[in-house]
Amino acid sequence: MAADKISIIRTAFENVDMNKDGFLDKFEFGALLRVLDPGAWTSEKTYALFQAADVDGSGNLDLNELLDWMLKTPQEAAADDVTEEEADAVLKAFREVDVNKDGSLTKKEFGEMLKVLDPKLWDDKKIKKFFKAADKDGSGKLDYDEVKAWLEVKSKGAIEPPTEEEEMYTILTMVDGRSTGSLRLGDLIEYFELCKTAGLGPRLVQEVPQDCEGTPDTAEELTAAELAYLYAMVTANRDATGEDARAKIADEKAFCRTWTRIDWDAVGVQPDAIVGFGVFKRLLDLLTATMCIDRPHLLTWFSWAKTSRFELTDSMAEKVMIDLFLKVPRPEQPVLVAPIGSNDFNRLCFSMNIIDIHGRTGIPQGRIAILFQDILKTMPRKLAARQKVRYSYRPDGKTGVPATRYYVESSRRSEKKSIRGKAELSVLMESLFFALPPNLYLNVMDMVLAFLAHAAANPISPSKNLQ
């Protein structure tokens, strides 16, 4: 059976390797997937698969790399993971083995070092893969920073590709577990109103840096009726600019912000109107122009409104790490992969005034450590559940990426002592929200923005008794 699979994959590989260089880029990889399973894949949906298969991060796949990935068993995939403890041991050994202190090791030296650390874990095949993935400059040597950067990616717990426009549009068209292929304006308006309850507006711009023009003072507090006006404008003129959108809002906001419900006839559109993918993208452009909120945050908020799956953007995650967990960005360690331990979590709860002995306005002090340990213990399951929710729109209900490529629930993982990475940070904040008494915050988005606002007004200081 394995031989048959190899033959099929090899033939497909050769057919789609158009320039016959022995490698597939992500576009050729997408073509291969469509050969193996016609009609099931689009270029957008191959992103996560390509990232999982491209273990050396080269941007290309050779045949052996592809076969290793496609025929890998769950046990073999789990063995590829590097725990925090293993990562620390590798870095410590690196410094000790670098006798001449030139800051680099050859593949042979590095392999010998790893085998001394754990001869059972580090065989020749794994050393070769490790070295190839870490040697980003192709020098044939590994310096300390190359090893540390690679280990941070491998050990940080979870890698999630950002939500893209096409994926988001497909999710928004889901009704009763099936994609209808089209999005009603009335449904989009409903999701937008839900986003508003979660702080989509000047409040978000105030608390989190946006990668677009504008400030909290120039950001419009757009209403559902104004979004309907923008839709009417886009359908009438696909070339409408951000300046046109701002002028339209300036003309209409005083009138329509008095409405308790949308006057569809006054707007000139109906809730059953179809929002095509092209119009959806144009509306995102105009929302950015008027609300001063960038595309990643818009997509993240819409995703949450539809799926209830909380996802931090990179900029929001960085703010949380720096302002709430007091993590300091350093050249040798990106702030998003800095560890969050029990003391960090305890300090956050104390600083945000969400500790209450009676449990009415917060969490009892004695429950904080227990809650953190429970989050660590259940992290693999929660991460896998996030993937299932995110990709529930797919016909087969699968993520397209084996769960073990992202999250491995093993005896080693269950012993982890800290939170690492954006996905785990998202789970931590979501778990905290659900552990709090009801009605303190409207939703997890509201809670995170409230925390950031509180930290801005009352900067958190390291507490000696929590260190």
Side-chain angles (χ1 to χ4, degrees), residues 224-464:
E226 289 160 72
L227 177 57
Y229 270 113
L230 291 181
Y231 170 82
M233 185 178 70
V234 169
T235 53
N237 177 17
R238 288 292 186 93
D239 296 325
T241 65
E243 185 176 347
D244 295 330
R246 288 189 290 271
K248 183 66 175 176
I249 297 305
D251 290 341
E252 304 294 347
K253 64 182 182 181
F255 174 60
C256 63
R257 290 183 188 182
T258 62
W259 295 349
T260 56
R261 55 187 302 179
I262 299 175
D263 186 338
W264 295 100
D265 291 333
V267 177
V269 294
Q270 294 300 318
D272 288 334
I274 298 300
V275 181
F277 181 55
V279 172
F280 176 68
K281 291 197 295 182
R282 291 294 296 122
L283 284 175
L284 291 176
D285 292 336
L286 301 186
L287 287 176
T288 293
T290 54
M291 302 184 75
C292 304
I293 298 174
D294 62 27
R295 188 66 56 93
H297 286 92
L298 289 173
L299 293 174
T300 294
W301 253 249
F302 274 116
S303 176
W304 169 81
K306 177 65 178 182
T307 67
S308 297
R309 173 182 174 273
F310 175 62
E311 174 185 350
L312 287 165
T313 63
D314 285 347
S315 58
M316 180 178 280
E318 288 176 358
K319 282 283 288 182
V320 167
M321 291 294 287
I322 295 170
D323 293 359
L324 302 186
F325 290 106
L326 308 183
K327 302 301 176 179
V328 179
R330 298 195 301 270
E332 70 274 14
Q333 183 183 63
V335 71
L336 288 184
V337 296
I340 297 173
S342 181
N343 284 345
D344 297 313
F345 186 66
N346 194 12
R347 182 191 301 113
L348 170 72
C349 294
F350 178 81
S351 301
M352 293 299 111
N353 298 321
I354 54 172
I355 295 179
D356 175 24
I357 189 172
H358 301 293
R360 288 191 289 267
T361 61
I363 304 171
Q365 175 71 48
R367 286 284 304 164
I368 300 297
I370 296 173
L371 173 61
F372 187 77
Q373 291 303 315
D374 182 65
I375 293 171
L376 289 177
K377 182 179 180 180
T378 59
M379 183 63 72
R381 175 170 55 81
K382 290 179 177 178
L383 289 170
R386 286 169 60 81
Q387 287 295 93
K388 185 175 182 180
V389 169
R390 176 171 182 174
Y391 295 105
S392 61
Y393 67 88
R394 293 190 173 180
D396 58 4
K398 296 180 180 179
T399 67
V401 182
T404 50
R405 297 298 300 179
Y406 287 124
Y407 320 119
V408 180
E409 188 163 14
S410 65
S411 59
R412 293 184 303 167
R413 282 288 186 194
S414 64
E415 296 171 359
K416 68 198 276 33
K417 298 180 180 180
S418 61
I419 299 294
R420 286 178 181 263
K422 186 177 68 173
E424 293 192 357
L425 180 59
S426 298
V427 170
L428 176 67
M429 301 308 288
E430 189 173 43
S431 300
L432 175 57
F433 169 74
F434 285 115
L436 291 170
N439 304 321
L440 283 185
Y441 304 98
L442 293 174
N443 43 58
V444 64
M445 302 285 205
D446 176 55
M447 181 194 78
V448 173
L449 291 179
F451 282 4
L452 290 173
H454 183 87
N458 309 276
I460 302 173
S461 298
S463 177
K464 293 181 180 180

Side-chain angles (χ1 to χ4, degrees), residues 105-331:
L105 299 177
T106 65
K107 181 166 66 174
K108 180 180 179 181
E109 292 170 332
F110 193 66
E112 292 173 350
M113 179 194 74
L114 294 178
K115 287 182 178 179
V116 170
L117 284 173
D118 191 338
K120 293 183 179 180
L121 175 65
W122 300 103
D123 56 26
D124 290 339
K125 183 177 180 180
K126 193 166 186 179
I127 290 171
K128 181 180 179 180
K129 181 186 294 185
F130 185 111
F131 191 89
K132 184 180 179 182
D135 186 21
K136 292 299 184 182
D137 59 6
S139 65
K141 292 185 176 182
L142 296 181
D143 60 36
Y144 183 85
D145 289 339
E146 282 180 317
V147 176
K148 188 172 181 63
W150 186 82
L151 285 170
E152 284 169 348
V153 172
K154 292 296 287 180
S155 67
K156 67 182 180 180
I159 304 171
E160 291 184 324
T163 302
E164 301 291 344
E165 295 165 349
E166 184 178 349
E167 177 188 349
M168 188 67 261
Y169 183 79
T170 304
I171 292 173
L172 291 176
T173 64
M174 294 288 291
V175 176
D176 297 329
R178 295 178 179 274
S179 175
T180 62
S182 59
L183 174 63
R184 293 175 61 254
L185 177 59
D187 292 334
L188 180 63
I189 294 289
E190 182 179 335
Y191 300 137
F192 181 74
E193 289 180 315
L194 188 55
C195 289
K196 296 286 291 179
T197 69
L200 189 70
R203 180 186 178 199
L204 172 60
V205 183
Q206 177 71 44
E207 304 303 338
V208 182
Q210 302 295 311
D211 187 19
C212 61
E213 295 182 358
T215 65
D217 293 334
T218 60
E220 291 284 358
E221 186 72 78
L222 221 65
T223 64
E226 289 160 72
L227 177 57
Y229 270 113
L230 291 181
Y231 170 82
M233 185 178 70
V234 169
T235 53
N237 177 17
R238 288 292 186 93
D239 296 325
T241 65
E243 185 176 347
D244 295 330
R246 288 189 290 271
K248 183 66 175 176
I249 297 305
D251 290 341
E252 304 294 347
K253 64 182 182 181
F255 174 60
C256 63
R257 290 183 188 182
T258 62
W259 295 349
T260 56
R261 55 187 302 179
I262 299 175
D263 186 338
W264 295 100
D265 291 333
V267 177
V269 294
Q270 294 300 318
D272 288 334
I274 298 300
V275 181
F277 181 55
V279 172
F280 176 68
K281 291 197 295 182
R282 291 294 296 122
L283 284 175
L284 291 176
D285 292 336
L286 301 186
L287 287 176
T288 293
T290 54
M291 302 184 75
C292 304
I293 298 174
D294 62 27
R295 188 66 56 93
H297 286 92
L298 289 173
L299 293 174
T300 294
W301 253 249
F302 274 116
S303 176
W304 169 81
K306 177 65 178 182
T307 67
S308 297
R309 173 182 174 273
F310 175 62
E311 174 185 350
L312 287 165
T313 63
D314 285 347
S315 58
M316 180 178 280
E318 288 176 358
K319 282 283 288 182
V320 167
M321 291 294 287
I322 295 170
D323 293 359
L324 302 186
F325 290 106
L326 308 183
K327 302 301 176 179
V328 179
R330 298 195 301 270

